[in-house]
Amino acid sequence: MNYFSLNKKAPNTTFKNAVIKGLAPDKGLYFPESITPLPDSFFKSIDSLSYSEIAFEAIKQFVTPDIPEAVLKDIIEDTLSFDFPVEKITDSISTLELFHGPTMAFKDVGARFMARCLGYFNQNNTNEVTVLVATSGDTGGAVANGFLGVEGVNVVILYPSGKVSDIQEKQLTTLKKNIKALEVHGTFDDCQAMVKRAFLDDTLTSKMQLTSANSINVARWLPQLFYFMFAYKQLHKSYDNIVFSVPSGNFGNICAGMMAQRLGLPVKHFIAANNANAIVYNYLQTQQYEPKPSVQTISNAMDVGDPSNFVRIQELHNNDFETLSKQLSGYSFTDEETIKAIEELYNEYNYIADPHGAVGYLACKSHLKTNPNDHCVFLETAHPTKFLDVVEDTIKENIDLPEQILKVMKKKKRSVEISTYEDLKAFLL
Ligand SMILES: *Cc1c(COP(=O)(O)O)cnc(C)c1O
């Protein structure tokens, strides 16, 4: 499959090149040249397919021939080494748990898939690729873990000092080998600005191949479409009108869900669940897309003021507001409402949700008021212990830390402190 730039000012390119470059030379996001729906028989026989078989059929057209089919099967097998269970909350609401991977956030699948693709492309290459990534918390851990030990790939993670949780910091600073953590004296926005500047810096890019590992990269974005198919496999016998409520920040996950729908997955509707950073919610009310500086919330992985994947969602709907607004609704909730939702889920349904999942739950409830015959699935995007303080304070119980977290908390933090772009450049060179 070839990819074009959504800015339309760069040449089309292969999957391999799109993965290695991350962003097109005209700064546009890459998008597949064509999308061929899967046959009806695929969805009718989904019960007889394993998760790996579903994933293979779903993503094959987007990555071959650059990744040969046999290699793709291995990559998928390796990527999907944990479960994606759906838990019933009420007759109308379920949750799809995406936190059973090594760093307990949904970004594990995309990061693992991308790492293995890049490792394959680079296996006979003497020039190393450097993955440069800024994180507000979850991305760094998932990328560090996914890329650990991948030959020919170095990973440099920038995170804001003192502004990620202890668990998140340990997840990104305790791996050795090809993973380096830079602790930036500044905010997440400062980290992101440094990364963006590095990609545009000729003295750097002439000396090294830099790429990004956030959801602008097609190899991190596309595998997320698996989740929606896995949920469908678990739910289609019980419910007809399945809608997904996706806690959204950069809108990569929900956009992948819409891609699954384009491939033929019978999904009735999508709901973008937002915290106070309500850019898309506002757009759906006013037709005006107005990026704003992000505001800090307790669901901090969704604190995004200009969601980068929204252009892909528009492209999937022919850049037509009417078409898009039939498929997508949005809701926005405050931290206060989110905390009440965590409380309600625990007290009434004995379910411990993290703040992101709780926002998804609230959006389900709003949607069901006017669509009582739908079955709404909210994505639980992180394990509640990743947001331990908020969750424990709210449910007034201690939560047992899972194995993955206990292991990492015992390890020693290693980071290099930096303050300026010049520090970053000196480190990379
Ligand atoms: C990254 C993240 C999100 C937002 O996902 P997008 O694809 O950026 O919309 C939501 N919840 C958690 C826990 C995350 O880590």
Side-chain angles (χ1 to χ4, degrees), residues 105-107 138 247-253 301-302 354 356 381-382:
F106 84 91
K107 293 181 174 72
D138 278 345
S248 294
N250 255 326
F251 280 69
N253 206 7
M302 312 200 292
D354 97 297
H356 304 78
T381 46

Side-chain angles (χ1 to χ4, degrees), residues 104-107 136-139 168 215 220-221 224 246-256 273-274 299-304 307-309 354-357 379-383 386-387:
M104 318 213 83
F106 84 91
K107 293 181 174 72
S136 59
D138 278 345
T139 300
Q168 287 172 329
S215 55
R220 230 204 80 188
W221 165 54
Q224 300 174 153
V246 186
S248 294
N250 255 326
F251 280 69
N253 206 7
I254 193 169
C255 182
N274 276 149
S299 46
N300 60 19
M302 312 200 292
D303 296 351
V304 179
S308 42
N309 284 288
D354 97 297
H356 304 78
L379 275 50
E380 184 38 303
T381 46
H383 192 282
K386 292 200 83 175
F387 302 89

Side-chain angles (χ1 to χ4, degrees), residues 198 201-210 429:
D201 187 332
D202 292 337
T203 51
L204 272 181
T205 54
S206 64
K207 291 206 176 69
M208 57 203 311
Q209 179 64 59
L210 289 179
L429 293 172

